Amino acid sequence: MEALVKELNQHSYNYYVLAMPTIADYEFDQKLAALDKLEKEHPEFADPNSPTLKVGGDITKNFTTVPHRWPMLSLGNTYNEQDLRDFDDRVRKTIGDQFQYVCELKFDGLSISLTYEDSKLVRAVTRGDGSKGDDVTTNIKTIRNVPHQLKNEAVPPLFEIRGEIFMHRAAFDRLNKEREELGEVQYANPRNFAAGTVKMQDSKEVAKRPLDCFLYSLNTDKNYFKTHWESLENLKEWGFNVCEHTKLSSSIDEVLAFIQYWEEARFKLSYEIDGIVIKVNSYAQQQELGFTAKSPRWAISYKYKAQEVETILEKVTYQVGRTGAVTPVANLKPVQLAGTTVKRATLHNANEIERLDLHEGDSVFVEKGGEIIPKIINVNLEKRKEGAVKVNYPTLCPECNTSLIRKEGEVAFYCPNDEACPPQIVGKMQHFIGRKAMNIDGLGDETIETFYQRGLVAHISDLYTLHEKSDQLKTLDRFGERSIENMLKGIEQSKQMPFEKVLFGLGIRYVGETVARKLAVGTKHIDKLTSASLEELVAIDEIGQRIAESIIEYFGKPEHLQQIDLLKGYGLQFEVVEKEITLESDKLTGKTFVISGVFENYSREELKEMIENNGGKILSGISAKLNYLVAGDNMGPSKLEKANKLNVPLISVDDLLELLK
Ligand code: IVH
């Protein structure tokens, strides 16, 4: 029992505080149930602080702790039809046969409680331990779907609304890919990414990571509505994002049909769910049913088992990326799982191999819980062959035999041979020509690979001498005159790409698109950048110690400076050219604007351009001098207040278009 308490506490900490779980939810629940059973059989040994008594979660040190006005409870879990029918029987015993259930999706994110006073969002608090949580208001305010100010005035003067913060799969994939490109550790799933984001200290960073929110319950001092369903309908009216896939059911069989439908259909959603929540609809009946120590008796969750299969681990191979990071990949005996054939699974890093204690030929359990890349969750030890060889993470680079290194505080191993390790060289060139960097038409990843193998290119700068090698190019298969011409034209045009793109294209570690832009704006010229000191670099907006050190290390290598000299000689852009704007009109000359909120048909960037192209000026903040505040949805309440106080006129996009007519 003691061992279980200890283990479960560690898993809770990994899940709630670190947002990096190392065990499947199902396994956790099984262990918790085992402990619960033992405690019932031997109450004399039960720990008074047992995890069976806790709602879960923990408090993070760096936020203010706020008590919840109404406790944030958890839900009982069920995994099969019988458990659910038992729940239905229990409900019937207390309230009879006349009732309905509301079936909702169980969003896989983290719960949040939002407090509104006088129609204004005043606080957003995480669940924490259920009675108090972290005040993360500024972070939550960056979420588009969370209204700061309700338009509808006819709402209770004070209420708490609860819901789930999550990240869409597409955003998760994109951001995780960016992290991979920057050599940063990737998140295992969207839930962890969302949880990690909500707990960030810098709200500016949070704003860059698109989070979303579904709301699913209302707490007020007195009951404004008779049923949960009615309250959800009203929440929509008040401007809250309530999920449309919610259903009113009259019997447990209807509930089971809903569960069965979503078991498959869930993979088509743009976000992840891990089950279904069933709630008794009538508030009066909910009250009659009441609560246990940690969950309501009027609601329960049905959790989908992650889809899992057993297959053989054939071998572990290692991929060397552009930054030199060496990533292990499990090659599996092909197997059908959730409608696709799985041949590979991610192993993330060396720690993961150790955690699983992988041996060659192991029979492994592979899970696809809606995540994109399947994952090995466990090894079937009973099937391990005698004398099986343990998988050992290599000490030498699998591509160039250089000794691998691991930087302090990082989980990934790197091959430091960035000048001669083939996949690093090819990867760097592929990054340089990529869409987000130099965007070179007529040149693709495979072509780069071929050119490298034929000895035509070995450095970025070699791309700019390809025109001298057209005889050799013509000898390559599938490379006609037209495609050579196109490619050379694309390469020539890339010389006009702005400095920030060139800088991003160089592939300096930790210098992503945004950082490259900040560096370009902050230094204006490559010579200023290559000679900048650590202090000068960290003084630039958004450049921290880690990025600055990486830049200094990069420009400290003579071969990198030599490349830059060559590229300069070929005519690439290494300084910021201030854009000369040719005005479309001078209709807005002398007028100042601030743009705030979100707009249906325009991005803020487009509106800014529209204003500047017609002679207007964008100001950074609201002051008495300001002529117009272009106001969109979900504008910050403090801005609104200030504008009102200073009598700055608020205009809509339509008003702006009117000014331009
Ligand atoms: S109702 C008292 N509805 O699941 C019950 N919870 O395991 C309050 N969750 O803490 C929760 N989707 O974070 C409810 N439609 C939904 C949900 C949902 C996800 C989460 C929530 C809760 C946990 C309980």
Side-chain angles (χ1 to χ4, degrees):
M1 286 167 77
E2 251 175 45
L4 274 171
V5 167
K6 211 168 147 205
E7 187 185 349
L8 287 163
N9 281 341
Q10 181 62 46
H11 286 308
S12 286
Y13 182 79
N14 293 349
Y15 185 92
Y16 289 106
V17 181
L18 303 180
M20 292 269 177
T22 55
I23 182 174
D25 286 359
Y26 179 68
E27 261 181 89
F28 180 89
D29 288 338
Q30 296 291 64
K31 283 182 199 273
L32 195 67
L35 179 61
D36 196 45
K37 187 157 171 276
L38 286 169
E39 284 174 351
K40 291 216 168 86
E41 287 164 6
H42 300 283
E44 70 276 22
F45 298 137
D47 183 331
N49 289 317
S50 168
T52 57
L53 305 169
K54 285 186 206 152
V55 168
D58 214 333
I59 312 286
T60 322
K61 288 192 201 77
N62 312 336
F63 292 96
T64 315
T65 308
V66 184
H68 294 298
R69 193 179 295 263
W70 292 274
M72 280 184 94
L73 297 169
S74 156
L75 286 174
N77 290 329
T78 59
Y79 288 95
N80 55 50
E81 183 179 333
Q82 193 51 52
D83 288 354
L84 210 57
R85 290 197 184 272
D86 291 349
F87 166 76
D88 185 54
D89 286 343
R90 289 198 298 275
V91 170
R92 258 162 228 290
K93 261 195 201 133
T94 313
I95 59 168
D97 292 336
Q98 292 305 309
F99 67 93
Q100 287 180 306
Y101 286 121
V102 177
C103 301
E104 295 172 16
L105 304 185
K106 187 171 190 308
F107 314 106
D108 198 9
L110 65 150
S111 39
I112 196 80
S113 176
L114 309 173
T115 304
Y116 284 81
E117 273 175 35
D118 301 328
S119 299
K120 224 185 262 170
L121 172 65
V122 292
R123 217 172 302 103
V125 185
T126 65
R127 183 165 72 166
D129 64 4
S131 61
K132 54 189 183 312
D134 288 330
D135 184 335
V136 289
T137 314
T138 43
N139 287 352
I140 297 304
K141 279 189 170 172
T142 67
I143 303 175
R144 257 191 65 164
N145 262 333
V146 173
H148 296 186
Q149 171 79 44
L150 302 179
K151 291 200 188 100
N152 192 337
E153 302 285 321
V155 299
L158 171 78
F159 63 91
E160 265 184 45
I161 178 166
R162 297 198 170 151
E164 200 85 352
I165 308 286
F166 63 95
M167 187 181 276
H168 290 271
R169 287 187 231 261
F172 168 76
D173 282 349
R174 179 171 55 79
L175 294 175
N176 230 12
K177 185 119 209 313
E178 264 175 42
R179 291 179 72 83
E180 186 186 4
E181 282 174 5
L182 295 179
E184 289 173 357
V185 179
Q186 288 172 265
Y187 282 94
N189 56 49
R191 198 209 85 84
N192 294 352
F193 211 145
T197 304
V198 166
K199 295 287 180 89
M200 285 171 86
Q201 293 298 311
D202 183 354
S203 299
K204 275 210 305 267
E205 280 303 311
V206 177
K208 289 184 202 155
R209 301 173 168 195
L211 294 175
D212 206 336
C213 181
F214 275 132
L215 283 317
Y216 48 64
S217 84
L218 175 69
N219 281 294
T220 47
D221 275 328
K222 55 178 199 207
N223 272 349
Y224 288 81
F225 308 111
K226 285 207 162 59
T227 64
H228 176 55
W229 184 265
E230 197 187 333
S231 85
L232 290 180
E233 290 295 307
N234 278 278
L235 290 183
K236 281 186 216 165
E237 295 283 308
W238 298 352
F240 291 103
N241 192 32
V242 175
C243 179
E244 54 176 337
H245 305 303
T246 300
K247 192 176 174 284
L248 205 50
S249 297
S250 307
S251 71
I252 198 73
D253 288 320
E254 265 182 54
V255 170
L256 284 160
F258 184 87
I259 289 175
Q260 206 178 2
Y261 172 77
W262 283 105
E263 173 127 43
E264 288 300 320
R266 67 188 163 129
F267 295 109
K268 297 196 189 96
L269 291 168
S270 66
Y271 46 86
E272 296 196 346
I273 64 167
D274 59 347
I276 300 294
V277 180
I278 302 118
K279 302 173 182 171
V280 168
N281 189 27
S282 143
Y283 283 146
Q285 288 174 324
Q286 285 188 5
Q287 208 169 359
E288 223 177 304
L289 284 156
F291 299 85
T292 69
K294 62 175 189 176
S295 52
R297 289 202 181 88
W298 44 262
I300 200 144
S301 82
Y302 180 96
K303 288 240 223 165
Y304 292 121
K305 245 179 149 178
Q307 301 207 13
E308 186 182 305
V309 283
E310 194 173 345
T311 187
I312 303 293
L313 168 73
E314 290 183 333
K315 66 168 187 273
V316 176
T317 51
Y318 299 86
Q319 285 174 347
V320 183
R322 154 176 82 80
T323 57
V326 180
T327 316
V329 179
N331 293 260
L332 306 166
K333 187 164 168 225
V335 64
Q336 284 296 114
L337 176 60
T340 52
T341 309
V342 175
K343 295 186 203 117
R344 289 157 156 253
T346 41
L347 282 169
H348 300 296
N349 50 52
N351 293 358
E352 183 73 357
I353 296 180
E354 272 312 304
R355 182 182 77 79
L356 293 164
D357 183 32
L358 283 184
H359 284 57
E360 275 171 31
D362 266 351
S363 192
V364 292
F365 294 106
V366 181
E367 175 184 284
K368 195 168 173 184
E371 276 125 55
I372 309 81
I373 313 158
K375 193 177 162 181
I376 296 182
I377 41 169
N378 242 328
V379 175
N380 186 347
L381 290 176
E382 283 170 17
K383 291 199 190 162
R384 180 169 290 164
K385 305 239 166 45
E386 228 173 276
V389 182
K390 190 171 155 52
V391 174
N392 276 317
Y393 196 89
T395 50
L396 301 181
C397 173
E399 300 279 346
C400 73
N401 275 330
T402 306
S403 288
L404 299 181
I405 53 164
R406 190 184 222 174
K407 291 202 176 153
E408 214 184 292
E410 292 191 11
V411 281
F413 278 94
Y414 287 90
C415 165
N417 183 18
D418 61 342
E419 280 308 297
C421 180
Q424 292 193 55
I425 298 176
V426 173
K428 283 195 177 77
M429 286 191 281
Q430 288 169 337
H431 171 75
F432 183 78
I433 65 163
R435 204 173 43 78
K436 287 185 186 170
M438 301 298 274
N439 196 14
I440 299 186
D441 272 347
L443 194 55
D445 285 357
E446 274 177 45
T447 316
I448 292 280
E449 182 95 47
T450 314
F451 285 180
Y452 174 73
Q453 278 161 8
R454 298 295 177 93
L456 286 163
V457 292
H459 293 103
I460 290 168
S461 61
D462 297 335
L463 295 171
Y464 295 91
T465 57
L466 275 174
H467 63 276
E468 295 162 10
K469 301 174 185 161
S470 48
D471 286 347
Q472 269 166 284
L473 291 174
K474 277 181 204 150
T475 65
L476 297 178
D477 283 351
R478 286 183 289 136
F479 227 75
E481 220 157 281
R482 276 279 290 284
S483 39
I484 296 179
E485 208 175 289
N486 259 344
M487 176 189 74
L488 293 177
K489 207 166 110 200
I491 293 175
E492 188 59 30
Q493 277 168 354
S494 74
K495 293 180 182 171
Q496 301 314 318
M497 285 307 259
F499 178 33
E500 64 183 62
K501 299 279 181 189
V502 181
L503 197 51
F504 172 62
L506 292 178
I508 305 168
R509 229 174 137 208
Y510 306 134
V511 179
E513 272 181 293
T514 317
V515 171
R517 193 170 313 128
K518 298 279 172 191
L519 288 172
V521 172
T523 60
K524 301 271 192 288
H525 196 288
I526 188 79
D527 294 347
K528 273 276 288 293
L529 181 62
T530 54
S531 61
S533 66
L534 195 85
E535 292 70 36
E536 285 168 327
L537 287 171
V538 293
I540 298 172
D541 186 25
E542 285 197 37
I543 308 301
Q545 180 87 7
R546 189 182 64 150
I547 303 174
E549 279 170 7
S550 167
I551 293 166
I552 289 185
E553 187 184 325
Y554 184 90
F555 292 117
K557 293 194 175 165
E559 58 272 21
H560 290 154
L561 295 176
Q562 193 190 355
Q563 277 293 304
I564 286 164
D565 275 343
L566 285 168
L567 293 173
K568 266 186 192 166
Y570 298 138
L572 274 72
Q573 304 298 314
F574 280 103
E575 61 184 303
V576 174
V577 185
E578 302 290 353
K579 239 202 330 207
E580 279 184 41
I581 310 172
T582 36
L583 292 187
E584 280 168 23
S585 83
D586 55 5
K587 292 219 166 81
L588 304 182
T589 302
K591 297 275 183 278
T592 55
F593 296 80
V594 163
I595 307 169
S596 181
V598 285
F599 302 87
E600 214 169 298
N601 299 318
Y602 296 90
S603 70
R604 268 191 277 207
E605 206 42 50
E606 283 169 327
L607 293 176
K608 178 170 175 259
E609 215 166 278
M610 198 189 294
I611 291 169
E612 287 176 342
N613 287 347
N614 289 285
K617 212 173 144 195
I618 304 287
L619 299 187
S620 57
I622 296 169
S623 66
K625 283 187 301 194
L626 181 66
N627 296 116
Y628 298 105
L629 175 61
V630 187
D633 287 339
N634 291 353
M635 206 178 94
S638 60
K639 271 200 181 141
L640 196 66
E641 214 171 280
K642 197 160 176 197
N644 284 336
K645 218 163 103 197
L646 297 172
N647 274 332
V648 174
L650 258 64
I651 62 168
S652 66
V653 169
D654 287 342
D655 298 332
L656 175 65
L657 296 175
E658 197 59 35
L659 288 177
L660 291 173
K661 262 198 188 151

